Amino acid sequence: MHEPATGLVYAIYYPVLAAVGIPVNPVAILILVRGKCGLSKCITYYLVAMAAADLMVVITAVILNQIIDIYFPGNYLLLTPVCRIKTVLVRATRDMSVWLTVSFTFDRFIAICCQKLKTKYCTKETAAAIIGMVLTLSCLTNIPWYFILEPLYINYELPWYCRIRSIFHTSPLWQAFSYFSSIATPFLPFFIILLLNALTVRYILVASRARRALRGNTSYANNLDPEMQNRKKSIILLFSISANFILLWLTFTVHYMYYRITKTFSYTGYDDPVYIFQETGYMLLLLSCCTNTFIYAVTQAKFREEFKNMVTYPVNLIRSALLFR
C-alpha cells in the first residue's frame, strides 16, 4: 500500500496532475468515439478503454489517495473500511491501465507481424472481449488487498487508517499472493511490451528490406509503398505508447526491485534518498495516465483536427448567435 507523501512538491504536483488528467482523458474519449480519426474500430476500442482506465487512475490514485489526504488530513476517507476499498480501487484501476496497454501492444503486434491472424484477431469483437476480461481480472485479483489491511488504531470505536497485517509477511499463502502481484504488475507487462516491440521492429526491418528488393531501389525511392504507408500510422502510435509506458514506469520498477532485493521496509525520513526515489517513481507512474492524449495529438493528424474542431465549435456557435441577433 502506498502512503500519500507530504511536502510542497507533492502538494503542487498532484493537483496539477489532476487538473490535466481529468479533462484530457474525457476529451480523448469523446474524440475517439466519434470515429473520425481514421483509426480502425479495433484500435479505437482499445484507446477508449485505455483513456477511461487512465481517468479512473487519476480519480482514485491522484485525487482520493493523494490530494484529499494531503489537503484534508483526518478526513473520513481514512476510516479503515473506506481505506481498504480505496486501496483495492487504486490497485485495480492501475492494473487495468497497464494491462490494456499490453493488450493494445499485442493487438498491434498481430496486425503488423501476423497477417494470417490479423483478420480473425484484430476485430472489434475480440477487442471488446479482451477489454472485458482485463477489467474483470483486474478487479478480482485485487480483492485480496481488502483483507490484507487492518486498522492502525481505534478511536471512539472507529477504526482509522490502514496497515498491512503482520501475517502478510510470514504466511506462505500471502507471500505467494505478494509475488504474484509483483510479477503481474509491473514486471510481466514490462517484459511483454519490450519483447513485442523488439519482435515488431525486427519484422519491420526484414519486411522493408524484402519489399525494397522486390520493388527495386529506384522505384521504391520515387514511389512510396502504399502498404508501408498504411502501416506507418499504426506503428508510430504503437511505439509512442509503448515508449511512454516503459519510460514512465522504469523508475518505479527499478525501485520495486531494489525494495524486494534489499528488503527496505522503512526510511529515515522524507529526505531519505530511497524515499525520494520511491516517490519519484510513483509520480512518474501516475503521469503516464495523462500523456496518452498528447501522444494521440502529436502522432495523429486527424485527432488534432478533431480536437481543433471541438475547441472552436463553441466559439463559432457563439459568434454565429451574435451575428444573427
Side-chain angles (χ1 to χ4, degrees):
M1 182 180 148
H2 182 270
E3 296 294 339
T6 59
L8 181 61
V9 173
Y10 310 114
I12 296 174
Y13 177 79
Y14 288 114
V16 171
L17 194 63
V20 174
I22 290 297
V24 299
N25 285 301
V27 166
I29 293 171
L30 289 174
I31 292 175
L32 290 167
V33 296
R34 286 168 58 86
K36 296 183 178 181
C37 295
L39 301 172
S40 68
K41 290 283 187 180
C42 179
I43 296 177
T44 301
Y45 273 37
Y46 281 114
L47 297 186
V48 169
M50 289 162 63
D54 288 346
L55 177 62
M56 291 303 300
V57 171
V58 174
I59 293 172
T60 57
V62 177
I63 297 177
L64 296 182
N65 198 47
Q66 295 293 333
I67 296 175
I68 291 180
D69 290 350
I70 289 173
Y71 284 93
F72 305 99
N75 65 82
Y76 285 100
L77 291 178
L78 296 175
L79 287 169
T80 303
V82 181
C83 178
R84 286 170 170 171
I85 294 172
K86 186 172 62 174
T87 301
V88 172
L89 289 175
V90 168
R91 289 182 172 273
T93 54
R94 189 182 69 184
D95 285 1
M96 289 176 196
S97 178
V98 170
W99 280 100
L100 284 172
T101 303
V102 175
S103 301
F104 171 75
T105 305
F106 184 74
D107 178 88
R108 291 301 87 199
F109 167 76
I110 295 294
I112 295 169
C113 304
C114 307
Q115 295 299 307
K116 292 182 179 180
L117 292 177
K118 178 180 178 180
T119 54
K120 293 182 179 179
Y121 185 85
C122 300
T123 64
K124 62 180 182 180
E125 291 80 13
T126 301
I130 295 295
I131 291 167
M133 183 177 66
V134 168
L135 299 184
T136 302
L137 290 177
S138 296
C139 293
L140 292 177
T141 55
N142 283 287
I143 288 176
W145 284 104
Y146 183 90
F147 304 98
I148 291 171
L149 304 172
E150 65 178 1
L152 181 61
Y153 63 85
I154 305 238
N155 187 27
Y156 294 105
E157 299 184 354
L158 290 176
W160 287 92
Y161 297 94
C162 290
R163 69 178 178 185
I164 295 177
R165 298 177 185 272
S166 58
I167 194 174
F168 180 77
H169 301 291
T170 57
S171 168
L173 182 62
W174 283 123
Q175 282 299 292
F177 173 75
S178 176
Y179 281 111
F180 166 78
S181 297
S182 303
I183 293 171
T185 306
F187 295 114
L188 188 57
F190 236 80
F191 172 77
I192 293 174
I193 289 177
L194 285 172
L195 176 63
L196 292 177
N197 277 278
L199 293 174
T200 302
V201 169
R202 179 179 177 274
Y203 176 86
I204 291 170
L205 293 175
V206 172
S208 297
R209 285 197 295 265
R211 292 182 69 83
R212 187 181 298 113
L214 288 172
R215 294 172 64 89
N217 290 334
T218 304
S219 174
Y220 186 87
N222 296 331
N223 301 293
L224 293 176
D225 189 337
E227 182 177 338
M228 295 303 293
Q229 286 297 304
N230 290 336
R231 290 184 187 177
K232 184 177 180 181
K233 182 190 300 182
S234 181
I235 291 169
I236 292 174
L237 184 62
L238 167 63
F239 288 165
S240 298
I241 291 176
S242 298
N244 174 70
F245 173 83
I246 291 169
L247 290 174
L248 293 181
W249 274 77
L250 182 61
T251 304
F252 177 85
T253 304
V254 172
H255 170 266
Y256 200 90
M257 292 175 64
Y258 173 84
Y259 157 80
R260 282 289 183 181
I261 293 171
T262 63
K263 299 186 182 300
T264 305
F265 300 118
S266 60
Y267 309 101
T268 57
Y270 293 134
D271 57 348
D272 188 324
V274 179
Y275 178 81
I276 295 172
F277 186 44
Q278 168 191 285
E279 290 305 314
T280 301
Y282 196 69
M283 291 164 72
L284 291 174
L285 176 160
L286 293 177
L287 178 62
S288 67
C289 296
C290 301
T291 52
N292 279 347
T293 301
F294 297 101
I295 290 174
Y296 307 153
V298 171
T299 62
Q300 306 294 308
K302 290 186 178 180
F303 185 92
R304 290 196 300 272
E305 184 180 344
E306 286 297 305
F307 177 75
K308 182 180 178 181
N309 293 337
M310 178 179 288
V311 172
T312 57
Y313 178 77
V315 177
N316 293 334
L317 195 63
I318 294 172
R319 183 184 299 171
S320 299
L322 292 174
L323 290 174
F324 286 100
R325 286 187 61 179

